Amino acid sequence: MNEIHTVVVIVGGGPVVVPPRLYVAQSLVIAADSGVDAALAAGLTPSLVVGDLDSISEQGLAWAHANDVAIEQHPPAKDDTDTALALAIAAAEPGRHLILLAPAGTVRLDHLLGTLAALGDARLAVCASVTAWVGDTVVHVLHPGSAVSLHLAVGTTFSLHALHVPCRGVAL
């Protein structure tokens, strides 16, 4: 992977699955609020914390301060979720490979839907790729003009959903 295509990891709150090769390629970890705690538990070191800081633990916030991690605090009354704010920051530099790590076992359907909806934000179209790991489920997000090739074993279950814009040119 060349230097222009920086891997950006956004960590949401809750236990996350870290893809095996992520440690080799990662260059920037942005933690969305309590994602600091999830990142540290997963062996990742956040470079930035973003959000309204309503769910970060006292220990996570203390760790961020002690390690001089940049904190971008937003007011609780905001239009974007903490994850959406982190995604927008990650997409600020075109050509990045963006990887979102999100917990699988959430009981908050609104959080899961908000996370999936945020992945369709048009600002992410400048990314070289957008992939989410929701627990051990991999989600490839395609914005207009992007593509992905999946090499799956025969019998592998997968789903295809057009969530944000009409979907054309799909070949299976």
Side-chain angles (χ1 to χ4, degrees):
M1 187 174 301
N2 66 38
E3 293 177 30
I4 295 172
H5 292 76
T6 305
V7 173
V8 178
V9 180
I10 311 297
V11 181
V16 295
V17 173
V18 179
R21 293 173 296 194
L22 185 61
Y23 292 103
V24 176
Q26 101 187 28
S27 61
L28 175 66
V29 175
I30 302 172
D33 206 324
S34 64
V36 168
D37 302 302
L40 294 172
L44 300 171
T45 304
S47 306
L48 171 65
V49 178
V50 64
D52 56 19
L53 307 184
D54 68 339
S55 60
I56 188 173
S57 70
E58 289 182 23
Q59 297 84 355
L61 188 56
W63 177 90
H65 286 299
N67 288 281
D68 294 321
V69 173
I71 299 173
E72 187 176 301
Q73 186 170 2
H74 293 262
K78 59 190 184 312
D79 291 334
D80 283 330
T81 65
D82 295 333
T83 300
L85 292 169
L87 289 166
I89 291 168
E93 188 176 314
R96 287 179 163 168
H97 291 278
L98 192 150
I99 299 172
L100 170 81
L101 302 179
T106 183
V107 294
R108 296 279 311 263
L109 181 60
D110 59 331
H111 282 191
L112 179 59
L113 291 174
T115 297
L116 294 174
L119 290 168
D121 189 318
R123 294 176 288 188
L124 304 185
V126 300
C127 296
S129 66
V130 178
T131 305
W133 286 70
V134 183
D136 59 1
T137 299
V138 182
V139 178
H140 296 281
V141 180
L142 301 179
H143 290 271
S146 63
V148 66
S149 292
L150 303 177
H151 304 283
L152 305 172
V154 173
T156 300
T157 300
F158 71 97
S159 299
L160 181 65
H161 298 276
L163 297 178
H164 297 89
V165 296
C167 187
R168 295 179 187 85
V170 176
L172 299 176

